[in-house]
Amino acid sequence: KKNTPISRQLGTLLAGVILLDTRNFDPAEGKGTPRDKLALERIAEHIHPNGATPWYTALMEARLDCSHLSVLELALVDSKVATVPSDGSNVAFSSIPATLAETVDRAGGPAALIKEMQALAAKRQYIVVILLFKKDEIGRKAVAFIPQEVPADGRGAEICKVLAGQLSAAAPGVFSQEFAQNPLFFHTGP
């Protein structure tokens, strides 16, 4: 409701999330909408006393520090689920705040990472878990497609093959018109 007061705790949480999601309205990042700006203005009294920019920097540093998280927690930090319209299968997309190598090391090897993600998929009824890793030291990003089933020869593996094929067919900067015009792609970039 428009005139409902917001508690200090809730206001602080909302303001912090808005700053993080919009990258502090940095024009170079291209994040944030006029609606986001209005929402933050409405709760401006909840911004840290040091100001938005130092607070954003501290929040981003804390967000990126994943040294204390398990592999399972890394997969859950920033995850979203999409449902395949044709059969109702759930596909989880997890942005991992670590590189592929760091995540594999933390898991205890590639097989252990796969096993842990398959257990997550089984527990949450995901047919596939897709892990999107942060850039490594030379600027490469990695993606892992992990079907729930073992052996990987069912519907999950089929979805993985289709997605991997579409990804490999799209050279940097060359995406299908439908994909390039998708509002999510347009706002977040490749």
Side-chain angles (χ1 to χ4, degrees), residues 70-139:
S70 70
V71 171
L72 175 61
E73 291 167 331
L74 284 174
L76 295 173
V77 165
D78 187 2
S79 63
K80 295 168 181 63
V81 178
T83 302
V84 178
S86 62
D87 66 4
S89 299
N90 289 322
V91 178
F93 294 85
S94 296
S95 293
I96 305 293
T99 66
L100 173 61
E102 292 166 346
T103 307
V104 167
D105 286 347
R106 187 171 302 190
L113 175 62
I114 292 168
K115 185 177 179 181
E116 188 139 6
M117 292 304 102
Q118 286 175 324
L120 171 66
K123 181 177 181 180
R124 300 220 173 177
Q125 299 182 352
Y126 303 146
I127 196 158
V128 174
V129 175
I130 300 172
L131 304 176
L132 307 158
F133 300 93
K134 80 173 192 177
K135 289 180 184 176
D136 64 16
E137 64 279 348
I138 59 173

Side-chain angles (χ1 to χ4, degrees), residues 158-176:
E158 180 185 331
I159 291 171
C160 290
K161 286 179 187 174
V162 168
L163 292 172
Q166 289 177 350
L167 184 62
S168 66
V174 182
F175 295 100
S176 71

Side-chain angles (χ1 to χ4, degrees), residues 33-44:
T33 65
R35 183 177 175 199
D36 294 326
K37 200 156 199 74
L38 278 170
L40 188 60
E41 287 171 4
R42 182 164 177 252
I43 57 173

Side-chain angles (χ1 to χ4, degrees), residues 20-21 23 58-66 69 77-78 97:
L20 285 171
D21 284 352
R23 304 297 188 268
L59 288 171
M60 188 55 82
E61 286 173 6
R63 178 181 180 210
L64 296 175
D65 178 12
C66 59
L69 299 177
V77 165
D78 187 2

